[in-house]
């Protein structure tokens, strides 16, 4: 396909498939501008704002401009944090527009052999297969425990990696073995009287690299009075696919998850990762054109609840848990806050901890720059955003930064490492901090 035909096809698909009503809902008021990290970090460049990107989408849809490299660059640079949505007076679903535009571009643009190969491996051969993720985690465990990691650092072979990946290697968690991953139970009983029967969405990376956090989540649910079911046939949520223009793959994963969870007679479906939750709650939109699946997706979404929200509902914050004296601050997960509308619940849990001084971070709701694999694909912009975020962290004089998403957690650890603060500040998932508080209480008794 030559370039002219490619552009023509892309413009036709924009005109046919983009939601024209949603595009028209944008009033160009500019309320979104102060909330957009890329608009601010680009020096207030209009094309790197939500309003500007919607204008570009509409112009392509109307046939006024071609979806050239500048248009695609503007869309690629967007974090997809959706901070523009809560402040939009018209309620524009910008995230849906962005994903639709990326899908159309991905379907029609000519890709190099390298890009085709990488995308096929990542989206078709790796993330849809939990066993392969477990195998990769097992290799990472071997690297960490066999002495290879120490050797790579001592011989400076690690310096062959780009700086960003070298720093990321330092902040990776100590990962479990494949045996540990496999032996995790699938059905756990409530401690004491069972108040709720819940199914836990364990995720892909959360259930491998961050298995300890998932185990802590299950334990908290049990202590809060929940019988916990972990469906064995669940798969990746599809967020990475959906955000990368691989909508068909995202739909297939969504259907598998809906099938896995609708078999269980539960009160709630619980998630502990803001990025996953933000995509799971959009399943009804993702499958809106498929009548049967839309209804099933709506039932799925109706039961979806973040762990922090359920813990508050079950009054876990009244357990009088404590930690050693320290200052704590909280970094919002963008999708947990902007899509699931969960922001007070994590703070309420943190403020309930005895001995802890909770200090609200300036602009805690702004993105940290992680955004899935954005910090790898768009490293320069990601680090600009992270540097600004670390300035806000340091103003709190905290010893602990808490977040509720694995990507955010690694990004905050990356920022701490970059600033040379690893001996003064740590980053931790909310669930792991609550588990620490439980252990501290036990030892104090």
């Amino acid at each position: 396909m030559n370039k002219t035909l490619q552009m023509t096809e892309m413009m036709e698909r924009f005109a046919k498939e983009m939601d024209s009503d949603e595009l028209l809902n944008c009033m160009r008021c500019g309320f979104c501008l102060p909330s957009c990290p890329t608009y601010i970090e680009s020096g207030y460049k209009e094309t790197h704002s939500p309003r500007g990107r919607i204008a570009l989408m509409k112009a392509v849809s109307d046939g006024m401009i071609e979806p050239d490299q500048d248009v695609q660059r503007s869309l690629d640079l967007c974090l997809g944090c959706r901070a523009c949505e809560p402040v939009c007076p018209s309620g524009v679903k910008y995230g849906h527009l962005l994903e639709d535009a990326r899908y159309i571009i991905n379907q029609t643009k000519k890709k190099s052999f390298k890009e085709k190969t990488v995308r096929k491996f990542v989206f078709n051969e790796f993330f849809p297969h939990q066993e392969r993720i477990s195998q990769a985690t097992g290799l990472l465990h071997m690297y960490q425990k066999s002495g290879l990691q120490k050797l790579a650092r001592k011989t400076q072979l690690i310096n062959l990696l780009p700086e960003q990946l070298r720093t990321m290697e330092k902040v990776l968690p100590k990962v479990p073995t494949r045996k540990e991953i496999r032996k995790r139970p699938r059905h756990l009983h409530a401690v004491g009287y069972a108040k709720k029967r819940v199914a836990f969405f364990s995720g892909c990376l959360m259930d491998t690299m961050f298995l300890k956090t998932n185990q802590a989540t299950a334990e908290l649910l049990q202590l809060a009075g929940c019988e916990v079911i972990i469906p064995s046939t669940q798969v990746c949520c599809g967020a990475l696919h959906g955000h990368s223009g691989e909508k068909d793959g995202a739909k297939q994963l969504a259907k598998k998850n809906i099938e896995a969870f609708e078999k269980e007679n539960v009160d709630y479906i619980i998630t502990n990762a803001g990025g996953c939750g933000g995509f799971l709650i959009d399943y009804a939109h993702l499958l809106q054109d498929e009548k049967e699946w839309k209804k099933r997706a709506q039932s799925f979404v109706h039961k979806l609840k973040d762990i922090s929200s359920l813990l508050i509902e079950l009054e876990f914050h009244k357990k009088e848990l404590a930690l050693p004296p320290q200052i704590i601050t909280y970094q919002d997960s963008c999708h947990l806050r902007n899509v699931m509308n969960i922001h007070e619940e994590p703070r309420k849990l943190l403020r309930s901890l005895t001995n802890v001084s909770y200090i609200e971070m300036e602009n805690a709701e702004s993105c940290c720059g992680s955004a899935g694999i954005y910090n790898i694909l768009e490293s320069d912009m990601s680090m600009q955003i992270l540097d600004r975020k670390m300035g806000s962290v340091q103003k709190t004089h905290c010893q602990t930064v808490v977040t509720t998403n694995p990507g955010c957690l690694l990004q905050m650890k990356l920022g701490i490492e970059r600033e040379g603060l690893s001996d003064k500040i740590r980053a931790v998932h909310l669930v792991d901090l609550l588990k620490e508080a439980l252990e501290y209480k036990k030892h104090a008794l």
Side-chain angles (χ1 to χ4, degrees):
M1 183 188 300
N2 63 44
K3 188 174 181 180
T4 301
L5 288 175
Q6 176 186 319
M7 288 290 183
T8 300
E9 181 184 350
M10 202 177 294
M11 291 172 74
E12 288 175 350
R13 292 194 65 171
F14 260 81
K16 181 180 179 181
E17 299 178 30
M18 291 296 294
D19 188 334
S20 57
D21 290 336
E22 198 67 57
L23 289 171
L24 288 170
N25 281 341
C26 177
M27 301 186 301
R28 314 290 190 265
C29 65
F31 280 19
C32 59
L33 301 182
S35 70
C36 180
T38 55
Y39 174 71
I40 295 168
E41 296 300 334
S42 67
Y44 308 105
K45 192 172 181 180
E46 181 71 19
T47 53
H48 293 331
S49 72
R51 179 176 69 179
R53 292 183 176 108
I54 290 174
L56 290 174
M57 294 178 208
K58 189 173 187 308
V60 173
S61 183
D62 291 343
M64 296 176 64
I65 62 172
E66 292 185 342
D68 58 18
Q69 289 185 348
D70 289 338
V71 172
Q72 294 180 38
R73 179 64 188 144
S74 175
L75 298 179
D76 287 343
L77 199 61
C78 180
L79 291 145
C81 68
R82 297 173 72 166
C84 50
E85 292 186 19
V87 299
C88 178
S90 299
V92 175
K93 296 296 183 183
Y94 171 81
H96 297 165
L97 292 174
L98 177 67
E99 289 178 3
D100 287 345
R102 285 176 171 173
Y103 171 68
I104 293 169
I105 290 172
N106 179 53
Q107 290 294 299
T108 52
K109 79 171 184 178
K110 185 177 181 180
K111 302 180 184 70
S112 66
F113 175 78
K114 179 181 177 181
E115 183 179 358
K116 286 180 180 178
T117 303
V118 170
R119 292 183 77 94
K120 181 180 179 181
F121 171 74
V122 171
F123 298 117
N124 297 349
E125 305 299 333
F126 188 66
F127 277 100
H129 305 280
Q130 191 65 15
E131 181 58 26
R132 293 175 188 177
I133 299 175
S134 297
Q135 291 171 353
T137 304
L139 291 174
L140 181 56
H141 173 83
M142 186 183 300
Y143 167 75
Q144 291 179 334
K145 294 294 184 180
S146 66
L148 285 174
Q149 186 178 51
K150 290 181 180 178
L151 181 64
R153 292 176 178 178
K154 187 175 181 179
T155 61
Q156 298 187 348
L157 282 173
I158 197 73
N159 292 337
L160 294 175
L161 295 175
E163 181 183 357
Q164 178 76 354
L165 292 181
R166 290 201 305 271
T167 309
M168 187 67 75
E169 187 266 354
K170 291 181 182 179
V171 301
L172 288 174
K174 299 299 180 184
V175 301
T177 63
R178 288 183 68 190
K179 183 178 179 181
E180 288 175 310
I181 294 170
R182 287 174 173 173
K183 75 177 184 179
R184 198 272 311 282
R186 294 286 175 179
H187 185 187
L188 302 100
H189 297 284
V191 174
Y193 172 70
K195 303 173 186 176
K196 300 290 181 182
R197 188 171 192 267
V198 304
F200 176 42
F201 182 83
S202 51
C204 50
L205 292 180
M206 284 300 298
D207 216 32
T208 48
M209 286 181 62
F210 296 91
L211 180 64
K212 288 185 177 180
T213 302
N214 272 5
Q215 291 172 328
T217 299
E219 184 175 337
L220 293 182
L221 289 170
Q222 287 178 281
L223 290 169
C226 295
E227 178 187 359
V228 185
I229 309 297
I230 307 176
S232 60
T233 55
Q234 62 178 298
V235 291
C236 170
C237 68
L240 185 61
H241 291 71
H243 302 330
S244 303
E246 298 283 346
K247 185 184 288 189
D248 295 333
K251 286 183 176 182
Q252 292 305 310
L253 293 171
K255 291 173 182 178
K256 288 181 180 179
N257 281 324
I258 291 168
E259 286 181 330
F261 282 87
E262 66 186 3
K263 295 175 183 176
E264 310 295 343
N265 180 26
V266 295
D267 299 302
Y268 298 122
I269 298 169
I270 304 301
T271 178
N272 64 356
C276 294
F279 197 75
L280 294 170
I281 207 167
D282 264 348
Y283 272 5
H285 172 77
L286 180 67
L287 298 170
Q288 64 179 334
D289 295 328
E290 301 182 43
K291 187 176 180 180
E292 176 198 351
W293 283 104
K294 182 178 180 179
K295 290 181 179 179
R296 294 167 72 177
Q298 287 170 340
S299 298
F300 177 94
V301 169
H302 181 71
K303 291 184 176 182
L304 194 67
K305 189 179 285 284
D306 180 69
I307 176 69
S308 64
S309 180
L310 181 61
L311 291 178
I312 293 296
E313 179 182 326
L314 298 179
E315 300 187 333
F316 190 85
H317 59 294
K318 295 183 179 179
K319 286 186 176 290
E320 297 182 356
L321 302 181
L323 285 170
Q326 59 190 286
I327 297 173
I328 288 178
T329 194
Y330 177 68
Q331 166 61 28
D332 283 286
S333 158
C334 292
H335 288 150
L336 184 64
R337 182 183 182 108
N338 301 325
V339 185
M340 295 190 75
N341 196 31
I342 301 294
H343 44 87
E344 286 303 320
E345 292 88 337
R347 290 169 168 82
K348 192 169 184 177
L349 287 165
L350 292 174
R351 290 190 180 106
S352 73
L353 300 175
T354 305
N355 296 337
V356 166
S357 296
Y358 176 78
I359 304 296
E360 182 70 15
M361 187 196 308
E362 183 181 85
N363 298 320
E365 75 283 357
S366 67
C367 186
C368 64
S370 171
I373 56 173
Y374 184 95
N375 54 2
I376 297 173
L377 299 177
E378 300 289 349
S379 179
D380 291 343
M381 178 59 75
S382 175
M383 292 304 101
Q384 278 185 243
I385 294 168
L386 179 58
D387 288 345
R388 185 184 293 268
K389 178 62 64 177
M390 289 308 301
S392 298
V393 169
Q394 292 182 68
K395 287 179 183 178
T396 68
H397 302 289
C398 70
Q399 287 81 50
T400 303
V401 182
V402 183
T403 188
T404 46
N405 187 59
C408 302
L409 179 60
L410 289 179
Q411 184 80 340
M412 298 312 298
K413 286 186 175 183
L414 183 62
I416 291 167
E417 184 71 28
R418 279 167 56 87
E419 295 291 332
L421 297 171
S422 56
D423 58 336
K424 298 178 181 179
I425 306 176
R426 63 170 182 156
V428 63
H429 192 288
L430 172 65
V431 164
D432 292 317
L433 190 73
L434 293 176
K435 175 71 181 303
E436 284 182 27
L438 283 170
E439 295 297 325
Y440 186 79
K441 182 180 179 181
K442 288 179 184 178
H443 292 306
L445 293 176

